[in-house]
Amino acid sequence: MEAVHTGSGSVEGPRLPGPGGTEAPARPPPQQVVSALLAAMEDISARKPEVRPPPDDSPQQKLRTLARLAAESPNAVLRLDTAGTVLYANPAAAPFLAASGAAEGRRVPAGWAALIRETCDFGIARSEEIEVGGAFYDVTFAPVPEDGYVNVYAQDITRRRRAEDAAREASRTLLRSLEQTIAMVARAVEKRDPSTSGHQQRVALIAVAIAAEMGLAPERSEGLRLAATIHDIGKLHTPAELLIRPGKLMALELELIRQHPVTGYEIVKDVDFPWPVAQMVLQHHERMDGTGYPQGLEGEEILLEARILAVADVVDGLSMHRPYRPALGVEAALQEIERMRGRWLDAQAVDACLRLYRERGFAPPPA
Ligand SMILES: [Fe+2]
Ligand SMILES: [Fe+2]
């Protein structure tokens, strides 16, 4: 509030020098009268910064905040100290704690304690899939090193895990029945030519071993194994007398036998494999220099799996007894693929095959 002076004579005038330089005697000041007072008030509290008490960031307050936020969460939320003692657990964590034998004020299982120490040491959050009492949890450990505790968020993923396991098992069952069907077809092919009994199974073993030696991914070599197991399926259509007849074949007869990759392709092409099995069957007699059949493909135009299959097929074909010649034996077969290396057969597949037999002691079951 401020006072406002009104009226006249509120200010005393200056003193004037008198005659002769002497100061004139002072006149008595006029009577000062305050005749009125005005007061104005304005609310300025909005312009002033609000004065609040300093925030409470004590561990106890943080714990209360966490408890308020996590009370209704469907996921388990816990706070643990670095020794693994449970400082807080929300209601959703109750079954989780019961299964692990922990409780508020008690320590979590030893396996957890190690994870918590590791999390605190590195100071970064980490997630683990943990099985507790037959249930699976996706658990995230989030350290708060400055306050010396770890927040734990656990989501029950048991149903998802069980669904994934069921899907994997169904897929394995499907693959097993597919393999059994393929093995049955392979036996049907070989029944028509007893001298080739077990040929496709052995070629599959050799081809997969070569693929592994070359570092082919296991999922890819699974397709190679299936293709190798039925690579001569087209011979179902070849007259049996041509397959078992000793002696040299006429050009036309040879042509009929050479139809088997195409016939095999026709049989397999509509089966919905996750690998190009029909193409592997079609290309297993192609040669690197383009002199193979049926398409005369060259080099990398031929699928890698088909190039591996060709090496395995030649090794086993030469090793086994045929109606028109005796078995040459493995060493002679290896020398033959060495001779064909690069020109007819893929050089890396041949090298891998030679390493397998000569250095790693590989030996498929005898013919
Ligand atoms: Fe063949
Ligand atoms: Fe073959």
Side-chain angles (χ1 to χ4, degrees):
M1 191 197 301
E2 59 186 297
V4 177
H5 298 266
T6 62
S8 60
S10 62
V11 178
E12 193 181 339
R15 289 186 175 202
L16 299 172
T22 59
E23 199 173 88
R27 281 179 300 179
Q31 187 101 29
Q32 291 183 2
V33 178
V34 175
S35 61
L37 277 176
L38 279 180
M41 294 173 71
E42 185 187 359
D43 182 358
I44 60 165
S45 54
R47 276 190 269 148
K48 287 202 163 187
E50 194 178 347
V51 180
R52 289 183 175 165
D56 180 2
D57 60 351
S58 65
Q60 292 77 9
Q61 178 55 33
K62 287 181 179 174
L63 191 59
R64 281 193 289 274
T65 305
L66 176 75
R68 198 176 61 245
L69 294 173
E72 292 179 19
S73 169
N75 297 326
V77 178
L78 301 100
R79 177 162 293 176
L80 313 171
D81 68 14
T82 50
T85 308
V86 180
L87 303 174
Y88 166 76
N90 73 342
F96 180 76
L97 289 180
S100 67
E104 273 193 37
R106 298 239 313 266
R107 286 193 183 183
V108 292
W112 275 46
L115 278 173
I116 290 158
R117 265 196 309 279
E118 210 178 301
T119 306
C120 290
D121 287 350
F122 287 103
I124 48 171
R126 61 179 289 176
S127 293
E128 293 284 330
E129 216 171 278
I130 296 179
E131 185 184 354
V132 181
F136 292 94
Y137 292 87
D138 190 1
V139 184
T140 300
F141 297 88
V144 185
E146 63 273 19
D147 290 333
Y149 59 69
V150 178
N151 287 331
V152 182
Y153 309 98
Q155 185 184 9
D156 187 341
I157 55 164
T158 310
R159 284 176 65 184
R160 192 182 82 200
R161 274 290 299 266
R162 298 229 161 103
E164 285 169 0
D165 288 349
R168 259 195 298 276
E169 185 51 37
S171 161
R172 272 197 291 270
T173 305
L174 201 63
L175 192 60
R176 268 199 300 275
S177 72
L178 179 66
E179 286 177 351
Q180 284 161 358
T181 309
I182 283 176
M184 187 180 71
V185 172
R187 282 195 297 276
V189 176
E190 291 169 5
K191 276 274 181 254
R192 306 186 73 232
D193 177 4
S195 70
T196 62
S197 172
H199 165 66
Q200 296 177 107
Q201 291 291 347
R202 288 192 304 277
V203 169
L205 282 172
I206 300 167
V208 168
I210 294 173
E213 179 70 20
M214 293 174 75
L216 206 71
E219 313 83 61
R220 204 169 158 188
S221 86
E222 183 59 22
L224 170 59
R225 190 169 67 80
L226 290 181
T229 308
I230 52 167
H231 72 273
D232 281 333
I233 192 173
K235 286 186 178 174
L236 279 171
H237 200 250
T238 309
E241 59 272 22
L242 291 186
L243 297 175
I244 57 175
R245 205 180 73 197
K248 273 206 154 189
L249 295 170
M250 309 283 288
L252 191 61
E253 294 169 330
L254 202 57
E255 196 51 41
L256 273 174
I257 287 182
R258 287 183 160 200
Q259 281 296 315
H260 79 270
V262 176
T263 311
Y265 170 79
E266 291 293 333
I267 293 169
V268 175
K269 73 177 172 30
D270 294 326
V271 182
D272 197 12
F273 288 113
W275 309 277
V277 170
Q279 283 295 334
M280 296 181 215
V281 169
L282 179 65
Q283 297 177 13
H284 78 274
H285 281 288
E286 298 289 355
R287 295 293 178 253
M288 296 300 283
D289 63 355
T291 57
Y293 60 89
Q295 299 175 93
L297 300 177
E298 283 180 46
E300 293 192 359
E301 288 176 344
I302 309 166
L303 281 175
L304 175 60
E305 288 91 331
R307 286 180 258 150
I308 295 171
L309 178 47
V311 173
D313 192 27
V314 171
V315 168
D316 190 71
L318 292 177
S319 305
M320 70 185 179
H321 171 80
R322 303 294 292 131
Y324 46 85
R325 59 147 177 78
L328 295 180
V330 171
E331 188 45 45
L334 295 181
Q335 286 172 16
E336 189 61 14
I337 62 164
E338 245 176 334
R339 195 178 64 78
M340 298 164 90
R341 180 187 182 280
R343 182 178 167 199
W344 290 337
L345 297 176
D346 182 278
Q348 278 157 17
V350 168
D351 291 344
C353 184
L354 294 174
R355 280 199 304 276
L356 274 178
Y357 278 89
R358 290 178 175 164
E359 296 171 26
R360 307 208 193 287
F362 176 79

